Every structure is written in C-alpha cells, then in structure tokens.
Amino acid sequence: SGALPGALWYTRVLERLEAGDVNGAENLLFALMDPAEPQGLLAALDFYNRLRRIPEARLLESGFSLAEVEQGLLDAAALYGLDLGGPI
C-alpha cells in the first residue's frame, strides 16, 4: 500500500481507499491530519494523487467526483496554511 514513513495512521486511510470507500478514506484523512505535523500534508498530497489516477467513472461509482478531489486538495493545503487557489 505504500504508506508514508512516520505516518502510520495513513495506512488506515489507504485501507479504506483500497476497499473502495473513497468518502470514508477522505473523512478519516481529515480527522487524523494534524497541522503541527507536516507528514499530514504529505499524506494528503499522496492521497489526492492516488485519487487523480482513478478513472472518473470509477470515482463517480464511489460517490466522488474530480471536483471533490480538487476541492479536497485545496482544503488539505489550507489546513496547513497554504493557498493553492487563484492565479499566482
């Protein structure tokens, strides 16, 4: 599953994702991320990168959309004080 070193909690997120529970995996990701721990941001980047590789039709079957993937990434970045939205 390839969890990040130092972020063992992330394996629980990946297990839910691999079971097809995309919403549950995302909810758990946000519940376990700690803005004081940079590993959480790395976990979020990995998580949303994994979601972007899932075909959109399969995401939609899981009740998730590409727009939610993008919004989730923006929300995760904001939790760590990063603004990824808008022009530079």
Side-chain angles (χ1 to χ4, degrees):
S1 47
L4 299 168
L8 296 178
W9 58 266
Y10 187 50
T11 59
R12 292 172 50 205
V13 174
L14 293 180
E15 287 168 358
R16 285 205 184 173
L17 182 60
E18 289 169 6
D21 183 7
V22 180
N23 285 312
E26 184 186 47
N27 290 341
L28 185 59
L29 175 73
F30 275 90
L32 297 176
M33 279 193 305
D34 178 356
E37 295 293 329
Q39 286 288 356
L41 180 56
L42 294 175
L45 292 172
D46 180 72
F47 179 76
Y48 289 107
N49 185 51
R50 289 171 188 258
L51 291 186
R52 293 185 98 176
R53 292 186 302 211
I54 297 173
E56 186 173 15
R58 199 166 129 225
L59 272 179
L60 291 171
E61 288 172 6
S62 300
F64 220 76
S65 69
L66 288 177
E68 287 175 290
V69 171
E70 291 183 23
Q71 187 60 54
L73 178 57
L74 293 174
D75 292 345
L79 186 64
Y80 287 87
L82 301 172
D83 181 4
L84 301 180
I88 297 176

